[in-house]
């Protein structure tokens, strides 16, 4: 297989689709991971424990949810690793610690967004960091499931930019294409507990990607008046001198997290109830009532473990 960035032989093993430093609060440290991949389409849950996790009782080697073999070459892997290390060192490890505030230009937008502009990272470095994650995430889905959350033309634009950035060989058309994209980067300065690693085909124009600690909103088309009114002051383009990273208020991160939680929960419930309906031949509406009753029993909010418990109980009940 060819490297998804440079088209040389993809000979690297264990490439992270999302940097371990960015998702460790969701899945744990490298080799000690505990992650739950919930497929809302099939209402299935796959559990992964890293090799050093004490819960790992299996002798079989299982696919880490967020790493893949043979998608990158060793050179692209090394260049991305260097970029990710620098971002972790200059932003992830410092932006919540007050003594490092001098490393950032800090100000508030007109409508109250708390903005950090890193002084020791260039705009190109930060945008390449996030574009590389979006690209790897989407490209692997395209390869494995024949579905990508970004259009193929948009993926190609990102690929050309990444290759040019990593190898410092910028072509004029590459920058012309990527400069039409706009990206919003949101972290929660007030908590290091990320929530989701996900996206949805419902989240288009703009696309929204949840990478645990970071939420990325990507506009690949021209922003309309409403988008400019809501986000214009905090969007980033490749033409800027520095990058605006939104770190507060906490409510912004929480409201966007709630959006994906409701989408995933609704998708899971719809497909889970359809499966139960196939098993017991009862009307969908009756099964939905029974499912929601069980869901309420296990949880009083939106919680994926409660969804799976309710589904597993009904599936066991009607499969026997």
């Amino acid at each position: 297989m060819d490297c998804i960035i440079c088209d040389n032989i993809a000979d690297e093993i264990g490439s992270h689709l999302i940097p371990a430093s960015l998702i460790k609060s969701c899945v744990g440290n490298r080799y000690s991971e505990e992650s739950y991949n919930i497929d809302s389409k099939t209402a299935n849950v796959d559990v992964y424990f890293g090799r050093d996790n004490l819960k790992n009782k299996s002798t079989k080697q299982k696919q880490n949810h967020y790493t893949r073999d043979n998608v990158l070459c060793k050179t692209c892997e090394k260049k991305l690793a260097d970029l990710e290390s620098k971002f972790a060192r200059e932003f992830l490890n410092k932006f919540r610690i007050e003594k490092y505030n001098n490393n950032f230009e800090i100000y508030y937008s007109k409508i109250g967004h708390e903005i950090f502009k890193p002084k020791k990272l260039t705009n190109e470095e930060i945008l390449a960091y996030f574009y590389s994650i979006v690209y790897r995430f989407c490209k692997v889905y395209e390869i494995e499931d024949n579905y990508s959350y970004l259009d193929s033309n948009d993926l190609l634009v990102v690929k050309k930019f990444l290759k040019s950035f990593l190898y410092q060989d910028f072509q004029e058309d590459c920058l012309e294409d990527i400069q039409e994209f706009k990206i919003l980067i949101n972290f929660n300065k007030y908590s290091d507990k990320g929530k989701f690693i996900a996206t949805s085909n419902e989240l288009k124009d703009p696309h929204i990607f949840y990478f645990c600690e970071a939420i990325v909103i990507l506009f690949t088309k021209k922003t309309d008046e409403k988008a400019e009114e809501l986000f214009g002051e905090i969007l980033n383009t490749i033409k800027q001198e520095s990058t605006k990273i939104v770190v507060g208020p906490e409510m912004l991160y929480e409201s966007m997290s709630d959006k994906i939680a409701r989408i995933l929960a609704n998708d899971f419930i719809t497909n889970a109830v359809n499966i139960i309906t196939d098993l017991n031949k009862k009307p969908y509406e009756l099964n939905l009532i029974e499912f929601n009753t069980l869901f309420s029993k296990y949880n009083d909010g939106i919680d994926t473990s409660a969804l799976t418990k309710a589904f597993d109980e009904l599936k066991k009940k009607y499969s026997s």
Side-chain angles (χ1 to χ4, degrees):
M1 179 174 166
D2 293 338
C3 173
I4 61 175
I5 293 177
C6 73
D7 296 321
N8 289 324
I9 296 174
D11 54 358
E12 182 59 24
I13 304 300
S15 297
H16 271 86
L17 306 182
I18 308 168
S21 56
L22 187 61
I23 63 173
K24 64 181 180 181
S25 69
C26 286
V27 304
N29 292 321
R30 190 167 189 176
Y31 304 125
S32 297
E33 299 96 339
E34 179 175 340
S35 60
Y36 297 82
N37 186 23
I38 300 175
D39 187 339
S40 58
K41 294 179 182 177
T42 60
N44 284 328
V45 180
D46 183 68
V47 183
Y48 173 82
F49 297 118
R51 69 188 187 192
D52 296 335
N53 191 308
L54 296 178
K55 294 181 181 180
N56 189 352
K57 307 299 183 183
S58 175
T59 57
K60 295 181 180 179
Q61 187 173 3
K62 194 172 184 180
Q63 174 67 62
N64 184 315
H65 293 145
Y66 304 110
T67 67
R68 294 293 188 275
D69 297 339
N70 306 117
V71 296
L72 293 173
C73 69
K74 292 185 182 299
T75 303
C76 286
E77 173 75 19
K78 174 65 166 59
K79 289 178 180 293
L80 285 172
D82 290 343
L83 176 63
E84 291 160 7
S85 294
K86 185 174 183 180
F87 185 81
R89 183 173 66 251
E90 300 298 343
F91 181 79
L92 286 177
N93 298 343
K94 293 179 177 177
F95 81 101
R96 292 190 179 97
I97 303 174
E98 189 173 351
K99 70 177 182 179
Y100 293 118
N101 279 358
N102 286 337
N103 289 44
F104 309 97
E105 179 187 340
I106 300 173
Y107 68 99
Y108 286 85
S109 72
K110 293 176 182 176
I111 58 173
H113 298 109
E114 188 175 1
I115 312 295
F116 276 26
K117 286 185 176 182
K119 296 178 181 178
K120 296 186 179 182
L121 291 161
T122 68
N123 183 55
E124 281 185 357
E125 286 174 332
I126 296 173
L127 296 193
Y129 173 88
F130 284 103
Y131 278 127
S132 76
I133 302 170
V134 169
Y135 179 73
R136 282 174 279 175
F137 188 82
C138 292
K139 193 65 180 177
V140 167
Y141 271 103
E142 181 184 66
I143 293 168
E144 295 179 351
D145 299 335
N146 198 31
Y147 179 83
S148 173
Y149 294 100
L150 285 185
D151 294 339
S152 57
N153 288 339
D154 292 336
L155 279 176
L156 184 58
V157 168
V158 177
K159 175 183 177 178
K160 288 167 63 178
F161 166 68
L162 289 175
K163 183 178 179 181
S164 297
F165 171 83
L166 293 178
Y167 293 90
Q168 289 299 292
D169 181 24
F170 285 99
Q171 305 297 319
E172 186 175 345
D173 64 331
C174 157
L175 292 178
E176 284 180 359
D177 291 339
I178 199 73
Q179 73 183 10
E180 299 302 319
F181 290 7
K182 295 182 179 180
I183 189 169
L184 188 158
I185 303 162
N186 180 217
F187 282 79
N188 180 6
K189 190 184 83 168
Y190 303 95
S191 173
D192 62 358
K193 302 300 181 186
K195 295 192 174 184
F196 297 99
I197 302 171
T199 188
S200 168
N201 56 15
E202 293 184 35
L203 300 173
K204 289 189 174 183
D205 302 326
H207 304 272
I208 307 179
F209 298 93
Y210 297 79
F211 298 131
C212 189
E213 286 207 55
I215 299 175
V216 175
I217 303 180
L218 175 61
F219 294 82
T220 58
K221 297 178 173 61
K222 186 176 180 179
T223 48
D224 59 21
E225 186 176 333
K226 182 179 179 181
E228 285 294 329
E229 183 180 340
L230 289 172
F231 304 120
E233 193 180 353
I234 53 177
L235 294 176
N236 297 285
T237 70
I238 200 65
K239 296 181 288 185
Q240 295 172 185
E241 291 186 6
S242 56
T243 311
K244 297 166 282 191
I245 300 179
V246 182
V247 300
E250 189 170 18
M251 181 181 65
L252 178 64
Y253 184 92
E254 293 296 333
S255 64
M256 287 199 284
S257 296
D258 186 63
K259 185 170 187 173
I260 190 66
R262 294 187 182 281
I263 289 173
L264 295 177
N266 288 337
D267 287 349
F268 187 99
I269 291 170
T270 299
N271 291 301
V273 174
N274 278 329
I275 291 169
I276 299 303
T277 300
D278 286 340
L279 288 173
N280 64 16
K281 309 305 179 186
K282 293 181 180 179
Y284 177 92
E285 292 75 13
L286 290 179
N287 285 322
L288 179 60
I289 292 170
E290 187 172 10
F291 186 99
N292 284 333
T293 300
L294 279 175
F295 177 48
S296 299
K297 167 186 166 184
Y298 291 124
N299 184 68
D300 59 3
I302 298 174
D303 177 45
T304 52
S305 65
L307 290 171
T308 56
K309 285 177 184 176
F311 177 54
D312 287 344
E313 184 169 328
L314 289 179
K315 189 164 62 171
K316 183 178 179 180
K317 175 181 177 179
Y318 292 116
S319 294
S320 57

